[in-house]
Amino acid sequence: GVGIPISLTNKSLLQQKYGIVMLPKEITCDHSVGTILSNETINIIITYKSLDNNLGVREGEIFVKISTSELTVQNIKIRYKCELIN
């Protein structure tokens, strides 16, 4: 599989917890849950590895939940598209 980095930046004054949730079976990430400190940026490597030998375009969504408390949760949707070629 090929990995690409995504960056998460916390611009608030409070630390935030994040979780990458509902990942498709073909996608893995090196840090799916963690904490981001105030004004910190972290990089997460997302890797796609096909589960079959079919060629063509694959697309979908990756969901990230960010929270500063139980009452404050943001949901972020990241669309992805890749093309499997021979």
Side-chain angles (χ1 to χ4, degrees), residues 23-82:
L23 279 175
K25 293 178 185 177
E26 300 91 352
I27 294 181
T28 59
C29 62
D30 60 350
H31 302 290
S32 60
V33 295
T35 300
I36 309 170
L37 301 177
S38 177
N39 295 310
E40 180 181 29
T41 297
I42 62 165
N43 292 310
I44 299 171
I45 303 298
I46 303 290
T47 303
Y48 182 91
K49 185 173 182 181
S50 178
L51 298 178
D52 57 41
N53 292 325
N54 298 330
L55 303 178
V57 175
R58 310 288 172 89
E59 56 187 308
E61 298 168 338
I62 298 170
F63 297 92
V64 182
K65 286 186 176 268
I66 306 277
S67 69
T68 52
S69 70
E70 290 183 21
L71 298 176
T72 307
V73 177
Q74 295 179 352
N75 296 302
I76 301 168
K77 181 170 37 174
I78 302 169
R79 293 197 51 77
Y80 71 87
K81 183 176 181 179
C82 60

